[in-house]
């Protein structure tokens, strides 16, 4: 006969032993694989997948001494019973299956001057395969790889320079602020003149015309309408021809951009087009003005204007 307390003690020991067996990882279910990884200095810094399994020790062999880059992420601390970097070896033994999300990469930095300088490991767990030994070797970049990397860097620099130019460009200000900041208007007055000079129209209708003149700039604002039944009108260029007192060209012709709020005029649509140019020290007797679409087939022409 057993003493009365011995049966209770035996039951407790049996239950604890059963729980311990249940919590022990089944390391036999994973097939162990040994493989090699070759890192090329000219291939950027790809992330390498490292397959881990609970209770299984994975060894990463390095071709040079390395150390963890920064502190071990807090999210990794509770996942491993062993995580050591000693010289040219990285040893990992997880206690659990790697979560599908929220596991940060493990980053090692080599201590020598060879490239690449970093090894980025994505820690995962697969159904039945585990990396037991991974041999990491680095190869120097070839001339072709370095040339390709140089081309990519130049393209990236060009994109960054374009973004920098755009960032430095002043944001247009509404109202009079933009004109004041740019110096388009100052203490001198701006002369505004409504003009009723007839225009020769070719597939485009002129509704209104007025001129603006300051000490620095001259501008013409034309309200245009694309008649119904016509194709969309795409603004092209404006030609401004200086005329002498007899109405003959002086030989000075400017091709200027036409500024519209809309990218094009649809049939029946109207909008104001603005043409501006720096005010000359001495205005010519008159100008001839031509407004054309991109194909120079449809537009309007004034034989003589005095802004």
């Amino acid at each position: 006969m057993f003493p009365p307390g011995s049966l209770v003690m035996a039951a407790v020991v049996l239950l604890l032993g059963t729980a311990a067996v249940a919590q022990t990882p089944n390391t036999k279910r994973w097939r162990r694989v040994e493989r090699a990884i070759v890192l090329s200095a000219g291939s950027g810094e790809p992330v390498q997948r490292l397959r881990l399994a609970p209770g299984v020790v994975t060894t990463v062999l390095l071709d040079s001494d390395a150390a963890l880059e920064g502190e071990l992420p807090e999210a990794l601390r509770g996942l491993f019973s062993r995580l050591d970097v000693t010289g040219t070896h990285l040893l990992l033994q997880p206690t659990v299956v790697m979560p599908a999300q929220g596991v940060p990469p493990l980053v090692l930095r080599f201590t020598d001057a060879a490239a690449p300088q970093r090894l980025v490991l994505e820690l995962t767990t697969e159904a039945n395969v585990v990396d037991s030994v991974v041999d990491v070797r680095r190869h120097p970049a070839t001339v072709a790889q370095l040339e390709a990397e140089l081309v990519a860097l130049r393209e990236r620099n060009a994109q960054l320079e374009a973004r920098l130019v755009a960032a430095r460009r002043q944001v247009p200000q509404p109202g009079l602020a933009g004109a004041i900041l740019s110096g388009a208007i100052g203490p001198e007055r701006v002369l505004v003149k409504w003009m009723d000079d007839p225009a020769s129209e070719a597939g485009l209708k002129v509704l209104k015309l007025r001129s603006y003149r300051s000490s620095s700039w001259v501008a013409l604002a034309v309200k245009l309408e694309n008649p119904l039944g016509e194709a969309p009108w795409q603004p092209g260029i404006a030609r401004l021809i200086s005329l002498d007192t007899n109405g003959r060209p002086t030989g000075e012709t400017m091709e200027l951009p036409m500024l519209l709020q809309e990218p094009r005029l649809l049939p029946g649509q109207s909008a104001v087009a603005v043409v501006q140019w720096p005010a000359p020290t001495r205005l010519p007797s008159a100008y001839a003005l031509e407004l054309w679409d991109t194909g120079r087939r449809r537009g309007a022409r004034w034989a003589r204007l005095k802004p």
Side-chain angles (χ1 to χ4, degrees), residues 121-132:
L121 297 173
E122 177 190 0
L123 308 179
T124 64
T125 297
E126 292 191 359
N128 57 358
V129 178
V130 61
D131 291 320
S132 59

Side-chain angles (χ1 to χ4, degrees), residues 194-216:
W194 289 94
M195 309 176 71
D196 55 2
D197 303 74
S200 300
E201 301 171 346
L204 192 66
K205 190 174 181 180
V206 177
L207 301 180
K208 294 178 183 178
L209 172 64
R210 61 183 181 271
S211 68
Y212 298 81
R213 183 155 55 92
S214 70
S215 60
S216 303

Side-chain angles (χ1 to χ4, degrees), residues 68-187:
L68 285 176
E69 185 174 75
E71 296 291 331
L72 183 67
E74 188 66 30
L76 296 180
R77 295 182 185 276
L79 302 180
F80 294 89
S81 60
R82 185 175 185 184
L83 199 162
D84 300 322
V85 183
T86 55
T88 58
H89 294 76
L90 167 64
L91 300 179
L92 304 100
Q93 186 177 22
T95 57
V96 295
V97 171
M98 293 295 104
Q101 295 179 345
V103 179
L106 188 65
V107 182
L108 301 180
R109 178 171 288 277
F110 294 97
T111 58
D112 61 6
Q117 283 282 290
R118 300 167 81 236
L119 172 63
V120 182
L121 297 173
E122 177 190 0
L123 308 179
T124 64
T125 297
E126 292 191 359
N128 57 358
V129 178
V130 61
D131 291 320
S132 59
V133 178
V134 177
D135 190 6
V136 177
R137 291 288 180 265
R138 293 173 295 166
H139 282 180
T142 64
V143 173
Q145 288 173 328
L146 290 175
E147 289 176 345
E149 187 174 356
L150 181 60
V151 170
L153 285 174
R154 285 174 176 168
E155 292 177 352
R156 186 167 180 267
N157 285 341
Q159 294 173 356
L160 289 175
E161 287 177 1
R163 290 173 57 190
L164 182 60
V165 169
R168 286 175 173 170
R169 189 179 298 127
Q170 288 188 351
V171 178
Q173 299 294 325
L176 295 175
I180 294 171
L181 291 174
S182 66
I185 61 174

Side-chain angles (χ1 to χ4, degrees), residues 56-70:
V56 179
V57 176
T58 296
T59 303
V60 180
L61 305 176
L62 309 171
D63 64 357
S64 178
D65 288 349
L68 285 176
E69 185 174 75

Side-chain angles (χ1 to χ4, degrees), residues 22-65:
Q23 294 176 4
T24 302
N26 182 10
T27 59
K28 295 182 179 180
R29 58 176 285 194
W30 279 280
R31 178 170 58 88
R32 290 162 172 76
V33 174
E34 296 184 6
R35 61 190 180 95
I37 295 176
V38 178
L39 303 179
S40 176
S43 60
E45 193 178 81
V47 177
Q48 305 295 332
R49 297 182 73 246
L50 189 63
R51 299 169 296 188
L52 306 174
V56 179
V57 176
T58 296
T59 303
V60 180
L61 305 176
L62 309 171
D63 64 357
S64 178
D65 288 349

Side-chain angles (χ1 to χ4, degrees), residues 278-298:
T281 54
R282 184 176 179 181
L283 285 172
S285 297
Y287 291 102
L289 175 65
E290 300 174 0
L291 305 179
W292 296 108
D293 62 357
T294 53
R296 296 200 180 190
R297 293 186 300 271
R298 298 169 55 203

